[in-house]
Amino acid sequence: MLSLLDLSARIDAGRLTPEGAVGLVREAIASREPEVGALVCVDPAPAVPASGPLAGIAVGIKDIIDTADLPTRMGSSIYENWRPLADAPVVARLKRLGAVPLAKTTTTPFAFLDPTRTRNPSNPGHTPGGSSAGSAAAVAAGMLPLALGTQTGGSVIRPAAFCGVVGVKPSFRLLPTVGVKCYSWALDTLGLFAAGVADAAHALALLADRPAIARAGDGGAPRIGILRQEFCATPEPEAEAALARAAAAAERAGAAIRDLTLPAPFGEAFAAHGTIQDYEARQALAWEYAAHRDALPPRLRAALDEAQGIETAAYDAARRTAHHARRGLKDVFSENGFDVLLTYAAPGAAPAGLDHTGDSRFNRLWTLMGVPCVTLPVDRTEAGLPVGVQVIARFGDDGRALAAAGLIERALRG
């Protein structure tokens, strides 16, 4: 994989120019893209700034995020020829930092469940996950050092785990979702993919203009709660093994490890996620549903059909349940003395087949809670498929989540 920090260090040392760094990415795309299919389009002649903290860093932009220099097709034929007039603020921020938004990455249509054509770089017969399939696969295939995605259920954490890269879903609204096609305004969260934890921390700190995010590893060994999310169906054995291996590595590195079972209200909040998501999607995609229902893919069309029957009272009740759980999560951290939680990133390795994107059951609660989450690759199955874990911190404590993930990453390598 291409490391953002390695490329930047070579540029800073004069061993590589920003144009040369982009050229390396182009070579990687030419080599791997025919097999992986992670990209919608590539800018043939982008501006490459000569300076800036991300100068020479090519970035993949999920194709529901507006770009003035490239089409934004939402993964749908409805927007086949759509060309925004302006960059989304997060893209504009990348450009100010010197980065090069080089390619649009594949997304499931409107970031729902109908799969893309993208294949898992570790095994082309397995799903890369969704909905940020292209972003995760492009980084995993070594085609891009950084890519943006979004998460409404598990669309950053799950594909990162399936593809074997670091994925970060930051605290809710840490990064602006203006200029991003909305599915659920209470849940949609911008995230990113990178080769390693330090790369991801560096990129997030710059994007959010919060340098402390990349310096959060100075607080000593973390206190970690091991969470198995009993309100979800049991994971595959490889997910359990990865969680145990990550916990053991953290303990070797000095972390204090203790099991945690969440109180009942969190299971209720987990169940409420779908009501909130679908009620809001019904409104966010009201024009597409009314004017182009037959052009919507089957899973999305069926979900919107069913969402028409959700009553406002049920939505309001689900929001109250979520709010109660968010308040309770603060107590879970403080009363147990935990810095972070460690849990499954996905039910197991990427499933076989390209007709689905996998299960987000271990991600949905944390999207609803709005807290920062980091996927960390841990193992590979006998078939060579990656398996990851998920590190979770308090709302606004993104640096601590990344620092704990970095500690585990280093311990696993040691």
Side-chain angles (χ1 to χ4, degrees):
M1 284 184 273
L2 290 169
S3 166
L4 180 160
L5 288 174
D6 175 66
L7 290 173
S8 291
R10 291 161 66 186
I11 291 169
D12 291 344
R15 300 195 303 272
L16 185 66
T17 65
E19 292 83 358
V22 175
L24 291 177
V25 168
R26 288 191 181 280
E27 291 174 7
I29 289 172
S31 173
R32 295 302 310 276
E33 173 60 8
E35 173 192 358
V36 177
L39 307 181
V40 178
C41 57
V42 178
D43 193 334
V48 181
S51 61
L54 290 179
I57 300 301
V59 185
I61 310 295
K62 184 177 180 177
D63 201 26
I64 60 166
I65 303 172
D66 282 351
T67 45
D69 299 326
L70 294 167
T72 301
R73 295 169 180 159
M74 320 293 179
S76 169
S77 61
I78 298 170
Y79 287 89
E80 182 65 30
N81 298 313
W82 172 240
R83 184 71 169 265
L85 295 176
D87 288 324
V90 69
V91 176
R93 173 69 178 166
L94 281 168
K95 289 181 175 179
R96 287 197 300 274
L97 292 166
V100 180
L102 182 67
K104 298 303 283 283
T105 58
T106 61
T107 175
T108 62
F110 302 103
F112 193 59
L113 299 178
D114 301 271
T116 71
R117 61 182 175 82
T118 306
R119 297 172 289 280
N120 193 307
S122 294
N123 187 321
H126 289 247
T127 177
S131 60
S132 306
S135 290
V139 172
M143 291 193 284
L144 290 165
L146 180 66
L148 299 185
T150 64
Q151 178 159 311
T152 305
S155 297
V156 169
I157 297 301
R158 183 174 82 263
F162 284 173
C163 292
V165 298
V166 171
V168 182
K169 183 204 77 68
S171 294
F172 186 63
R173 295 294 187 255
L174 180 68
L175 299 178
T177 55
V178 178
V180 179
K181 181 62 175 176
C182 180
Y183 196 89
S184 166
W185 55 88
L187 299 169
D188 293 349
T189 308
L190 268 167
L192 54 87
F193 301 86
V197 173
D199 297 294
H202 182 71
L204 182 60
L206 288 169
L207 280 171
D209 195 21
R210 288 170 170 81
I213 286 176
R215 299 197 301 263
D218 303 328
R223 298 161 296 177
I224 300 177
I226 306 300
L227 182 62
R228 288 181 168 80
Q229 303 193 43
E230 288 80 2
F231 45 82
C232 295
T234 304
E236 299 296 323
E238 60 261 31
E240 184 63 46
L243 182 62
R245 186 175 176 219
E251 198 163 30
R252 287 196 306 273
I257 303 294
R258 188 154 48 92
D259 286 338
L260 169 68
T261 299
L262 288 174
F266 292 95
E268 297 165 8
F270 169 78
H273 174 278
T275 299
I276 294 170
Q277 173 186 271
D278 295 348
Y279 182 90
E280 294 185 352
R282 183 179 83 191
Q283 299 176 67
L285 297 177
W287 176 80
E288 289 84 358
Y289 185 77
H292 297 279
R293 180 183 175 279
D294 290 345
L296 297 173
R299 289 183 174 92
L300 177 57
R301 186 168 60 244
L304 292 177
D305 285 345
E306 188 172 349
Q308 305 308 307
I310 300 175
E311 296 182 356
T312 301
Y315 170 70
D316 290 343
R319 290 180 64 203
R320 287 192 294 272
T321 298
H323 177 68
H324 180 64
R326 288 187 197 107
R327 295 184 65 178
L329 188 57
K330 298 177 183 178
D331 296 333
V332 167
F333 278 101
S334 60
E335 292 175 5
N336 291 279
F338 292 132
D339 297 306
V340 298
L341 308 179
L342 182 65
T343 189
Y344 315 110
L354 301 177
D355 60 342
H356 58 106
T357 63
D359 192 320
S360 65
R361 66 179 182 266
F362 292 117
N363 315 126
R364 294 194 293 269
L365 174 65
W366 311 112
T367 309
L368 183 61
M369 294 298 95
V371 292
C373 307
V374 181
T375 294
L376 177 69
V378 174
D379 274 328
R380 285 187 179 266
T381 67
E382 291 183 2
L385 290 163
V387 185
V389 295
Q390 180 177 194
V391 178
I392 300 161
R394 294 175 177 87
F395 177 81
D397 214 354
D398 299 71
R400 194 180 298 273
L402 283 155
L407 177 139
I408 297 170
E409 180 185 60
R410 292 188 296 274
L412 287 168
R413 291 173 178 169

